[in-house]
Amino acid sequence: MKKRILCSVWAMLLILLLCGCAAKTVDEMYALPRRSERNSNLRSAIESAMEGRVYAAPLSGNNRESVQTADLDGDGKEEYLIFTRLTQTDALQILLFNQLTDENYQLWEIIDCKGSSFEQVQYASVDNAPGSELIVGTQLNENVTKTVTVYSFATGQSEKIKSMIYVRLLVVDLNEDDRSELMVIQNGDAVSGNGTVRLYSYRDGSLTGSAEAKLSVLPEFIRRIEVNRLSGGEPAVYVSSLSMSNSIETDIFALRDGVFTNIAQASEASAGVQPVSNYLVYAQDLDGDGILELPSLLNMMYNPTGQNLIRWFSVDIAGQETNKLYTFHNFDEGWYLQLQSEWIDRIAVEQNGNIYTFYMWNNSYGAAVPVFTVFTLTGRDRDSQAAVQNRFALHRGEDIVFAAKLESGSAIYGMTESYLQNNFHLIRQGWNASES
């Protein structure tokens, strides 16, 4: 699939010169340069077609421009798509322009769309025909009802091959056949309650839905959707939602023996993860191996800080878990430390302001010795404070320095300066409860 969105300065001049009116909206401040004859002809064609219309950019998704390009019919030349609204009736229309010769464009087709706004637009190769299918989501009314329509151009003109109501939609390739499927999340009925999910794929000349899979919660509670892989390498869609108990539930959708399945509902991976210090903990690829790890909280034997250790595990196509790593996450200060698995049952953490001292219990759990301490330094003398009393820097930021110090028990448990520097990490933005 070949797709190009006009987001450069070249494209920013397009709508400005095409509008022809004194008052310009943000969407109208895009235009083609005038020096090319081809661009001049395209501009002229669009100016004529825009009479009685205004630009109506999609509200969400990756493709939010009023003017977009894609090779819809597979002829190797990109068509121009102009997303508009009629000024008198507010009806939505997509204007398609194709290239007749190197210098001339014409209005190829007008697609009428139901709804009050374009919600999102995607392009994907759904069938075996050349070119890209056009996937258009529109908002129908104030009750947030949305509909998605898939158009094919294999015959040389638009053909509606599927239309349905949705809450969330995602273009994926779960069977890795180089053809995209459409994963559609919908509200459940009064009996089933929670959201339903179907995977629509093209076969036997039509876009056909899979058997219904279930979400753990209502679709309105979805906080994050990620396409990643299971531990066996199979593609999967991870849907993280906020449950009624204020925990994160992660559903995992994949093809198991060719059947679209919620892997998590058959495994412990579906168990909710409670917040850590009021921060929600999402699945992440912490070790960068291309496989998402899911979190599970572990209590420490001595835990005056009220914080938890986190066990991160991956899931295979059968729902079986594999432990990957263990961490102590300090969400308030934005850092985490990866810990060795053999320490997990014996570690304790004591907090004194922005100072965190890590202890290790002996074999009988009768006594604990300090192993290392982590400092968060923000004052003007933070750089000098990071070097006093055998401290060493873990990370230097613009206004903050994280430092550490080895304590009396470090030699006993093999703790080194190098280990702490290699296993200390900043928490990536977007991990807290503000994401939706």
Side-chain angles (χ1 to χ4, degrees):
M1 177 185 70
K2 183 179 180 182
K3 177 184 66 174
R4 177 162 52 88
I5 304 303
L6 303 181
C7 58
S8 64
V9 174
W10 177 89
M12 289 186 65
L13 296 173
L14 172 58
I15 299 175
L16 178 61
L17 297 180
L18 296 179
C19 179
C21 57
K24 311 293 184 183
T25 67
V26 173
D27 284 332
E28 291 169 340
M29 295 178 65
Y30 295 76
L32 289 165
R34 292 185 178 274
R35 61 187 175 185
S36 167
E37 182 66 25
R38 179 179 61 183
N39 293 339
S40 178
N41 291 336
L42 172 60
R43 183 179 61 251
S44 177
I46 295 178
E47 284 177 345
S48 298
M50 282 301 296
E51 184 175 352
R53 297 179 175 89
V54 294
Y55 295 94
L59 301 177
S60 64
N62 293 327
N63 306 320
R64 300 192 188 189
E65 292 76 14
S66 297
V67 182
Q68 303 181 20
T69 63
D71 183 7
L72 300 175
D73 55 8
D75 64 354
K77 299 178 181 179
E78 291 187 324
E79 286 72 47
Y80 281 77
L81 298 90
I82 318 296
F83 295 87
T84 72
R85 177 186 294 108
L86 293 175
T87 53
Q88 292 188 349
T89 64
D90 285 338
L92 299 177
Q93 290 185 333
I94 305 173
L95 309 183
L96 303 181
F97 291 82
N98 64 356
Q99 187 175 350
L100 294 176
T101 66
D102 288 341
E103 301 296 338
N104 292 292
Y105 284 83
Q106 70 170 0
L107 180 58
W108 173 24
E109 191 171 349
I110 298 177
I111 299 177
D112 292 302
C113 301
K114 294 181 179 180
S116 59
S117 60
F118 291 107
E119 199 269 332
Q120 64 172 291
V121 173
Q122 299 193 52
Y123 306 89
S125 179
V126 174
D127 57 21
N128 288 320
S132 299
E133 278 66 54
L134 172 62
I135 302 169
V136 181
T138 57
Q139 187 111 8
L140 296 182
N141 52 44
E142 295 180 356
N143 295 325
V144 200
T145 302
K146 296 182 287 189
T147 184
V148 58
T149 303
V150 182
Y151 298 92
S152 172
F153 298 84
T155 63
Q157 61 184 13
S158 66
E159 178 185 357
K160 186 185 298 185
I161 60 175
K162 195 69 179 179
S163 184
M164 71 203 86
I165 299 295
Y166 74 99
V167 178
R168 296 287 187 97
L169 64 89
L170 191 69
V171 175
V172 294
D173 182 12
L174 292 185
N175 59 5
E176 298 189 292
D177 63 351
D178 295 324
R179 291 187 299 168
S180 297
E181 300 97 41
L182 190 62
M183 188 177 119
V184 178
I185 301 176
Q186 300 172 320
N187 287 313
D189 56 33
V191 176
S192 59
N194 293 339
T196 62
V197 188
R198 283 189 172 89
L199 188 70
Y200 287 85
S201 56
Y202 194 85
R203 59 180 181 269
D204 299 327
S206 63
L207 200 57
T208 305
S210 68
E212 183 181 281
K214 289 289 186 181
L215 275 176
S216 297
V217 298
L218 297 172
E220 61 191 88
F221 297 117
I222 293 175
R223 303 299 295 271
R224 179 180 291 184
I225 300 177
E226 293 188 66
V227 180
N228 206 277
R229 293 187 178 273
L230 299 169
S231 59
E234 301 88 348
V237 179
Y238 293 76
V239 181
S240 299
S241 307
L242 186 63
S243 72
M244 297 298 292
S245 62
N246 199 37
S247 63
I248 287 294
E249 304 275 353
T250 301
D251 293 299
I252 308 172
F253 298 94
L255 291 174
R256 177 193 285 172
D257 297 326
V259 178
F260 186 60
T261 306
N262 187 345
I263 304 298
Q265 289 189 348
S267 72
E268 296 179 1
S270 61
V273 181
Q274 295 293 329
V276 177
S277 299
N278 296 319
Y279 289 84
L280 298 177
V281 187
Y282 294 95
Q284 296 285 324
D285 181 11
L286 286 183
D287 56 7
D289 64 352
I291 298 170
L292 220 59
E293 287 87 43
L294 284 82
S296 176
L297 302 187
L298 300 175
N299 290 320
M300 287 181 281
M301 181 176 178
Y302 177 69
N303 189 18
T305 67
Q307 301 198 49
N308 300 83
L309 302 178
I310 305 178
R311 174 180 71 98
W312 297 90
F313 61 94
S314 61
V315 178
D316 65 15
I317 195 67
Q320 298 299 311
E321 299 178 5
T322 300
N323 292 335
K324 297 289 289 295
L325 44 86
Y326 297 84
T327 65
F328 173 85
H329 268 69
N330 186 332
F331 287 94
D332 290 335
E333 297 177 9
W335 58 268
Y336 73 93
L337 189 66
Q338 183 174 334
L339 304 170
Q340 294 187 23
S341 59
E342 57 267 27
W343 296 346
I344 299 307
D345 294 334
R346 302 169 63 181
I347 201 165
V349 183
E350 185 176 53
Q351 178 184 3
N352 182 13
N354 293 335
I355 302 174
Y356 289 78
T357 301
F358 289 71
Y359 292 81
M360 204 76 71
W361 291 96
N362 61 16
N363 292 334
S364 63
Y365 293 93
V369 296
V371 179
F372 63 91
T373 300
V374 176
F375 304 84
T376 302
L377 307 171
T378 57
R380 292 184 177 181
D381 60 344
R382 56 186 176 275
D383 288 308
S384 59
Q385 286 296 313
V388 302
Q389 300 176 342
N390 297 321
R391 297 175 187 174
F392 52 91
L394 298 175
H395 175 82
R396 296 182 186 275
E398 183 177 352
D399 300 311
I400 195 170
V401 175
F402 296 103
K405 176 186 175 183
L406 298 178
E407 302 292 355
S408 60
S410 59
I412 301 174
Y413 294 99
M415 178 56 62
T416 65
E417 178 178 332
S418 176
Y419 179 91
L420 289 174
Q421 290 175 329
N422 291 334
N423 289 279
F424 178 90
H425 305 279
L426 300 183
I427 296 175
R428 292 185 297 175
Q429 294 182 357
W431 275 41
N432 63 27
S434 65
E435 184 163 351
S436 61

